[in-house]
Amino acid sequence: DCRTLANLITRGALGSLERLFLNGHAIGDAGLQALAGALASGSVPRLSRLDLDGNQVGDAGVEAFAQACASGKLRALSSLNLSKNRVGDAGATALSRALAGGCVPNLKLLDLSDNEIGTGGMQAFSSAIANQSSIVKLVVPSPHKRSPSLRKACSKVGVEVL
């Protein structure tokens, strides 16, 4: 379970961890909150890929993860997959603020597809994308792939919207 994993991370038992795949384990908000707290400890400085797709994660979990990002301890993270969850505007907005702050400077791929993000969440990403320089590919929910404001913001900084 995520609490056990979080405990191992916090204790430094997984210090060389580079990739973490938790796809489809239904960890939910509570699991991601526990994991986020551990990630904010800085005990996995090499973590470059985090796959959390299909985990029933909503806004509360992503808000906790955004706080972990803001800690500056996830600087090596280059790929984040949050697809197939229940992330809405609040989670998307929190994550976009953390990314705009430059706290995850090596993030190249962000997958938010198949979530519940509305216009407000995508507007937050449109604003934030101009303030970051690392993201190369942004995968968004289908209704937003043609959003003029998102496409315009992304094209200015060379981000491909998928």
Side-chain angles (χ1 to χ4, degrees):
D1 92 343
C2 269
R3 288 187 184 107
T4 302
L5 177 61
N7 189 22
L8 289 169
I9 290 172
T10 302
R11 288 193 341 232
L14 301 173
S16 61
L17 184 68
E18 293 180 11
R19 291 172 284 181
L20 182 57
F21 299 93
L22 293 174
N23 313 42
H25 288 290
I27 65 171
D29 287 332
L32 186 51
Q33 288 167 329
L35 183 61
L39 295 174
S41 74
S43 297
V44 286
R46 297 182 187 144
L47 184 65
S48 63
R49 183 169 178 181
L50 181 58
D51 282 2
L52 297 166
D53 59 289
N55 273 299
Q56 301 173 9
V57 172
D59 290 335
V62 175
E63 288 170 345
F65 183 77
Q67 288 177 352
C69 291
S71 74
K73 305 293 184 178
L74 294 171
R75 300 185 67 74
L77 191 64
S78 62
S79 175
L80 175 60
N81 184 349
L82 287 166
S83 68
K84 301 175 191 160
N85 281 293
R86 298 175 302 146
V87 181
D89 287 347
T93 299
L95 185 58
S96 68
R97 285 184 184 141
L99 298 178
C103 300
V104 189
N106 293 303
L107 189 64
K108 303 285 184 229
L109 171 64
L110 176 60
D111 189 342
L112 297 168
S113 61
D114 297 321
N115 275 286
E116 300 170 4
I117 302 168
T119 303
M122 281 296 109
Q123 286 176 338
F125 268 103
S126 295
S127 299
I129 212 84
N131 295 321
Q132 63 80 39
S133 59
S134 65
I135 295 177
V136 176
K137 292 184 181 183
L138 177 65
V139 186
V140 299
S142 294
H144 303 293
K145 290 184 181 190
R146 292 195 171 104
S147 164
S149 61
L150 181 63
R151 287 211 165 270
K152 182 178 179 182
C154 289
S155 68
K156 282 184 179 179
V157 292
V159 175
E160 182 179 3
V161 179
L162 303 171

